[in-house]
Amino acid sequence: MAGLLLLPPLLLLPPLLLLLRTLHIWPRLRWLAADLAFAVRVLRCNRALRARALAAAAADPRGPEGGCSLAWRLAQLARQRPAHVFLIHGARRFSYAEAERQSNRAARAFLRARGWDAGPGGGAAAPLTPGATVALLLPACPEFLWLWFGLAKAGLRAAFVPAALRRGPLLHCLRSCGARALVLAPELLESLEPDLPALRAMGLHLWAAGPETRLAGISDVLAEASAEADEPVPGYLSAPQSVMDTCLYIFTSGTTGLPKAARISHLKILQCQGFYQLCGAHQEDVIYLALPLYHMSGSLLGIVGCLGIGATVVLKSKFSAGQFWDDCQQHGVTVFQYIGELCRYLVNQPPSQAERGHKVRLVVGSGLRPDTWERFVRRFGPLQVLETYGLTEGNVATFNYTGQPGAVGRASWLYKHVFPFSLIRYDVTTGEPVRDTQGHCVATSPGEPGLLVAPVSQQSPFLGYAGGPELDRGKLLKDVFRPGDVFFNTGDLLVCDDQGFLRFHDRTGDTFRWKGENVATTEVAEALESLDFVQEVNVYGVTVPGHEGRAGMAALVLRPPHSLDLEQLYSHVSENLPPYAWPRFLRLQESLATTETFKQQKVRMTKEGFNPSALSDPLYVLDRAGGAYLPLTPARYSALLAGDLRI
């Protein structure tokens, strides 16, 4: 009888579900469930991070666990999971216990340079002082991590210098963060040799991370570390007075042109320990990381995020699309951290046996275009794609935890309660937010591109950049919605659709992204303008079919009576700019197009593109394989669109 009573409600279930789908309620219920599930994950993550912070603060400062959150977490994992593999790099494998020992040796070597009595003979020379900054100019390798962790344990600040920087940009970075020492990769010494006199003139203590150097005045920091004991150092050496204290510098390209040293606080390090937990990864995962460690995505999200869950990371010094799936099979990779360009490389590879039967279940990153997203999942799935958004110096992050293709996150009430942000109207002509008659900013409507801003608070601070308060100009907006409020300006335009999904739209100002890097047009223009045959330069980004982001293009006006020297131009940009900032296209003009206020017409030039059949100006294209700029003929234009010409 009871079964008969249950029958009518069961019969009503299919039409009820059909009604929910017809009224578009079913997807909203599903997304609401995802919102709630992610909120629960955030609460659990916050609880775990708070417990770690309290445990570190309560620990004996004379012991190894009384230091900063990074040192405390590594010591905890070395005690709880000593034999678990933390790092795989080529044929080398390191457990958490070995990582702790290696970083202890590095810490003692740096402490000896600090003059702290780290053993017999300690304090003989002190090129460093407590809290000094040591710059690392190294590729992604285990030694990078041991030195970084060692600096943290020794109470010193690391500065991650992009490995491609040379000459003026390199010296600028070192000056801006106040570096007192520099650790160089031995393989970079030859290309850095012209810079060594300037580096020595700055009073920098120079180390090499390896024995392959016989240059005077450069010692081997790894040899010095290997001679030290591997016992932990006292925690009080690294314990911060405040979680807002700067513990690290990561350089980011800003609209001023040259890289800026973003201040990374102890709070941010602690927050980044929760990254992979928020993504749904766990301690038995094996994470594939082929991103530069001088980027936040590689160091803070990849490495610190891995420490947060106690997992294993497969670290690659350089990404190889042809080797990727073989690596995944060999190491049992379950999580892949990407930038969109890496996924495009993979889907453009010919099919291989290794791509079948892999264990990758989660790919996490940013910059994945919808078309590449679809191709990636269709070819390599089933797997989950979790697109994220964030900035090195920013105080806001988004997670596409629903897996909606093309989205970077959700603007649900629940998410914005945890991670508050807003989209405001932005005038691309003036480069300023639109304000109403009362002087307040105006929120966008669904489907309308808006500037992403986030309120600055103790929980979501903005620490700014090293080098002076003028560098922070433009990053903070005041009186956004009410008098006295302060918001962080991301400089990015996003769109929120009527279903609450966020999609990246574009970058404001003169900065664009190429190969996963921010390229400031002013930096490129300044490098080109230093050529004696160049009179004026207008640098902008153009969309190239089949490529992520925008490629750099430079319109040039020659200085009479000079002619264009393509060989010298290529040599100059390759020596003075990192590879991602090299202009991919050149356009020769009699005069540059400007506005009535004499501002360069970047928007118009961007729209005109680089099609030689549509433009009468001489055009040139970068041939990466040949190492030269070549005339952009219709044949080469077709080869570029077909993917046969590598830029």
Side-chain angles (χ1 to χ4, degrees):
M1 189 71 178
L4 292 175
L5 291 174
L6 288 173
L7 192 57
L10 290 175
L11 290 175
L12 289 174
L13 188 58
L16 179 61
L17 293 176
L18 180 61
L19 178 63
L20 291 174
R21 286 193 175 94
T22 304
L23 297 176
H24 303 290
I25 298 175
W26 178 256
R28 296 181 184 276
L29 291 176
R30 183 161 49 88
W31 296 330
L32 177 60
D35 293 337
L36 290 170
F38 188 77
V40 171
R41 189 180 293 173
V42 170
L43 290 174
R44 289 175 176 170
C45 180
N46 285 344
R47 188 186 310 143
L49 296 180
R50 191 177 297 112
R52 290 178 195 172
L54 292 174
D60 183 355
R62 295 167 298 177
E65 295 182 354
C68 65
S69 63
L70 184 63
W72 184 90
R73 179 58 176 165
L74 183 58
Q76 182 191 47
L77 289 168
R79 187 179 68 253
Q80 294 179 349
R81 319 190 77 201
H84 189 80
V85 176
F86 161 54
L87 182 67
I88 299 173
H89 184 259
R92 298 192 290 171
R93 304 167 77 91
F94 301 89
S95 67
Y96 275 104
E98 180 62 19
E100 170 74 353
R101 290 192 293 268
Q102 293 280 5
S103 59
N104 287 341
R105 292 189 184 99
R108 290 181 175 274
F110 288 125
L111 284 169
R112 192 177 296 278
R114 243 188 65 173
W116 184 79
D117 189 3
L128 302 178
T129 56
T133 299
V134 177
L136 302 181
L137 188 60
L138 302 169
C141 61
E143 289 71 26
F144 186 113
L145 301 185
W146 314 150
L147 296 174
W148 168 22
F149 298 163
L151 287 168
K153 292 181 176 186
L156 299 167
R157 297 172 179 173
F160 298 164
V161 180
L165 293 185
R166 299 291 184 274
R167 314 296 184 267
L170 171 62
L171 300 178
H172 161 81
C173 287
L174 296 173
R175 290 191 186 101
S176 66
C177 68
R180 299 297 303 276
L182 174 64
V183 181
L184 306 163
E187 61 268 26
L188 301 180
L189 279 170
E190 183 177 352
S191 63
L192 283 165
E193 196 162 356
D195 296 317
L196 291 180
L199 296 175
R200 291 191 173 102
M202 290 173 61
L204 291 174
H205 184 84
L206 299 179
W207 277 297
E212 297 84 6
T213 177
R214 294 177 177 82
L215 295 176
I218 301 180
S219 54
D220 180 2
V221 69
L222 299 184
E224 294 177 13
S226 65
E228 299 288 347
D230 61 9
E231 283 85 5
V233 299
Y236 72 83
L237 292 166
S238 64
Q241 292 184 339
S242 167
V243 292
M244 298 299 181
D245 290 349
T246 301
C247 65
L248 175 67
Y249 295 107
I250 295 182
F251 290 90
T252 175
S253 295
T255 53
T256 57
L258 290 168
K260 294 191 288 188
R263 298 179 184 273
I264 306 300
S265 67
H266 289 275
L267 175 62
K268 189 143 192 167
I269 293 286
L270 183 64
Q271 291 171 335
C272 287
Q273 290 184 31
F275 174 72
Y276 267 116
Q277 184 175 346
L278 292 179
C279 293
H282 51 74
Q283 64 179 6
E284 298 307 319
D285 274 318
V286 178
I287 302 167
Y288 194 92
L289 184 65
L291 304 177
L293 293 181
Y294 55 78
H295 272 189
M296 175 188 175
S297 54
S299 54
L300 299 191
L301 301 185
I303 297 299
V304 176
C306 177
L307 289 173
I309 57 175
T312 298
V313 61
V314 177
L315 181 65
K316 301 290 290 187
S317 298
K318 187 176 181 181
F319 180 76
S320 168
Q323 187 66 31
F324 175 76
W325 291 113
D326 288 319
D327 287 341
C328 290
Q329 295 280 5
Q330 179 183 354
H331 302 298
V333 172
T334 56
V335 179
F336 169 42
Q337 187 177 335
Y338 67 84
I339 58 171
E341 196 78 359
L342 302 188
C343 296
R344 187 179 67 83
Y345 292 155
L346 290 173
V347 297
N348 287 337
Q349 285 287 301
S352 68
Q353 187 63 36
E355 72 186 50
R356 300 182 180 90
H358 61 79
K359 296 180 180 179
V360 178
R361 62 175 182 83
L362 174 66
V363 294
V364 180
S366 59
L368 185 58
R369 283 181 12 183
D371 56 339
T372 305
W373 185 321
E374 182 182 348
R375 292 172 61 196
F376 192 90
V377 173
R378 185 171 62 246
R379 177 170 169 181
F380 305 124
L383 46 75
Q384 177 190 359
V385 176
L386 205 162
E387 177 83 356
T388 64
Y389 168 88
L391 297 172
T392 302
E393 71 275 41
N395 66 342
V396 61
T398 64
F399 294 78
N400 183 5
Y401 48 83
T402 64
Q404 183 78 358
V408 299
R410 287 263 294 158
S412 68
W413 174 87
L414 199 56
Y415 188 91
K416 293 177 72 173
H417 181 73
V418 179
F419 302 107
F421 65 86
S422 298
L423 295 180
I424 59 176
R425 288 181 176 169
Y426 180 82
D427 189 332
V428 295
T429 304
T430 63
E432 296 289 339
V434 175
R435 294 184 181 263
D436 59 21
T437 55
Q438 294 181 324
H440 297 149
C441 296
V442 182
T444 59
S445 303
E448 178 185 5
L451 179 66
L452 177 64
V453 296
V456 176
S457 65
Q458 279 194 323
Q459 293 75 30
S460 303
F462 170 65
L463 298 185
Y465 309 97
E470 68 278 0
L471 297 176
D472 302 342
R473 192 175 298 124
K475 300 307 293 184
L476 294 177
L477 299 175
K478 298 181 179 180
D479 305 326
V480 174
F481 293 117
R482 56 181 60 89
D485 64 13
V486 180
F487 278 66
F488 172 72
N489 175 8
T490 66
D492 288 329
L493 300 174
L494 274 69
V495 175
C496 181
D497 62 24
D498 57 1
Q499 297 172 340
F501 289 102
L502 291 165
R503 287 176 170 79
F504 184 84
H505 182 71
D506 204 358
R507 295 190 63 82
T508 62
D510 296 338
T511 302
F512 57 90
R513 288 184 73 80
W514 176 251
K515 301 292 184 183
E517 301 273 359
N518 292 340
V519 182
T521 58
T522 49
E523 179 185 359
V524 181
E526 287 173 3
L528 292 174
E529 285 171 347
S530 65
L531 288 163
D532 58 2
F533 57 85
V534 174
Q535 179 169 291
E536 290 184 275
V537 182
N538 184 6
V539 179
Y540 48 96
V542 293
T543 302
V544 182
H547 289 72
E548 315 288 346
R550 289 187 288 163
M553 186 166 183
L556 307 176
V557 175
L558 297 180
R559 188 186 309 277
H562 294 277
S563 59
L564 181 62
D565 187 337
L566 292 174
E567 184 175 348
Q568 183 184 350
L569 193 149
Y570 177 84
S571 176
H572 183 75
V573 298
S574 62
E575 288 180 5
N576 291 277
L577 292 170
Y580 60 81
W582 299 353
R584 265 54 188 176
F585 303 97
L586 304 174
R587 180 176 176 178
L588 211 56
Q589 294 190 296
E590 293 293 330
S591 62
L592 296 183
T594 60
T595 65
E596 292 179 354
T597 55
F598 304 103
K599 292 183 178 180
Q600 293 180 343
Q601 289 273 21
K602 293 182 182 289
V603 175
R604 179 181 129 191
M605 299 292 284
T606 298
K607 290 180 179 178
E608 291 179 356
F610 53 91
N611 186 346
S613 300
L615 297 173
S616 58
D617 295 329
L619 300 174
Y620 302 89
V621 62
L622 174 67
D623 178 12
R624 287 294 302 276
Y629 284 99
L630 305 174
L632 182 54
T633 62
R636 289 197 176 102
Y637 180 80
S638 299
L640 175 63
L641 298 186
D644 297 327
L645 179 61
R646 178 170 171 252
I647 60 170

